[in-house]
Amino acid sequence: MAEQKMDNQLGLLLKKLLKERSLSMRKLSELTDIDTATISRIINGKRKAQPEHLQKFADYLGVPISELFIAAGFAVEEKKEIQQSDINMSVESIHKLLEASNLIDSEFSIASVKRQLANYEQYAQTEEGKESILKSFGEKLKKIGSLGPFISQLKDMYERFRLNKGTPRELAIAGSALIYFIVSVDVIPDYIFPVGYIDDAMAIQLVANLLTIKQ
């Protein structure tokens, strides 16, 4: 009964968004490459929307994905920060969740996040990397809305990077976290919400620790 109510909430929200944007279900189908019949069943509460459906709806309807996930009945915790001392415990919890749900095949670990950050650190020092950060950060932030761990720290890093405040090494480190947040190919895909943003949060925390040490 509760699930049906959640589905109806999503359907009402989607109907409202389509009306506001003068879009039909058929047009939304063309934009998202989701079958019209599937969209109809989701809107009418006859089928539960999958995370990848919600990601595409958010992209083409221009709304924070968190709103759609909440309406669809997915558990979303607002701005719940992971403390530094809890990182290993959080990784263990996430790993168990991923294994149980078969969401991803790759091994999730702090080491895998660090390796990705090291790659992005080099890219952040290039003109292309800098341009990508300045152009795409605001768009990504708007896309996810105000939800997500360490958003405040992330904004501080962006301002620091944008204003060129810090040594080249510090800016490269901050840039690595910003690129990690911007790109869609993370250790955990972003559409697995809110779990998909946990590795972003971890990356930001690891970088914040490095910047604190260097100050």
Side-chain angles (χ1 to χ4, degrees):
M1 182 67 68
E3 181 177 312
Q4 184 67 28
K5 183 179 179 181
M6 295 282 187
D7 285 346
N8 286 340
Q9 287 180 5
L10 176 62
L12 289 173
L13 176 57
L14 289 174
K15 285 180 181 178
K16 175 175 175 290
L17 292 171
L18 289 174
K19 184 177 180 180
E20 290 176 349
R21 288 153 179 75
S22 300
L23 291 174
S24 65
M25 285 190 282
R26 179 170 293 182
K27 184 60 179 178
L28 183 61
S29 172
E30 293 175 3
L31 292 171
T32 60
D33 200 30
I34 299 173
D35 185 69
T36 304
T38 298
I39 294 175
S40 177
R41 287 195 293 271
I42 290 172
I43 288 178
N44 291 301
K46 296 179 180 179
R47 171 172 177 168
K48 188 171 181 64
Q50 298 302 308
E52 54 268 29
H53 294 146
L54 299 177
Q55 179 70 70
K56 289 182 178 180
F57 291 156
D59 289 342
Y60 289 99
L61 294 175
V63 294
I65 192 172
S66 56
E67 290 185 20
L68 299 182
F69 270 83
I70 292 171
F74 288 89
V76 177
E77 297 181 19
E78 296 194 20
K79 300 182 180 178
K80 183 176 181 181
E81 297 189 352
I82 306 169
Q83 300 299 323
Q84 179 183 354
S85 61
D86 292 334
I87 284 182
N88 288 316
M89 182 173 62
S90 299
V91 171
E92 183 180 352
S93 300
I94 295 165
H95 200 165
K96 288 180 180 178
L97 172 61
L98 296 175
E99 285 181 338
S101 56
N102 295 316
L103 290 174
I104 59 172
D105 297 324
S106 58
E107 185 79 8
F108 178 81
S109 67
I110 295 178
S112 60
V113 175
K114 285 183 176 179
R115 284 194 297 270
Q116 195 71 280
L117 283 171
N119 293 331
Y120 291 152
E121 188 177 318
Q122 298 176 29
Y123 181 59
Q125 298 177 67
T126 67
E127 288 304 316
E128 182 181 354
K130 293 174 184 176
E131 184 178 348
S132 177
I133 292 170
L134 296 176
K135 178 182 178 182
S136 304
F137 176 76
E139 295 175 1
K140 182 63 179 283
L141 200 61
K142 181 179 179 180
K143 181 178 176 181
I144 69 167
S146 60
L147 299 181
F150 305 118
I151 293 298
S152 177
Q153 284 177 292
L154 196 62
K155 288 180 179 177
D156 289 342
M157 285 182 198
Y158 175 73
E159 286 303 307
R160 190 169 173 175
F161 187 89
R162 183 178 69 84
L163 298 173
N164 204 34
K165 287 185 177 181
T167 66
R169 172 64 174 156
E170 289 171 341
L171 293 174
I173 292 173
S176 68
L178 294 170
I179 292 173
Y180 196 108
F181 172 70
I182 290 168
V183 299
S184 58
V185 183
D186 297 336
V187 176
I188 305 175
D190 285 348
Y191 67 73
I192 305 174
F193 191 91
V195 178
Y197 289 99
I198 295 299
D199 60 323
D200 295 270
M202 185 176 296
I204 294 161
Q205 183 66 9
L206 290 169
V207 166
N209 291 342
L210 282 175
L211 291 175
T212 299
I213 291 172
K214 292 181 178 294
Q215 287 178 351

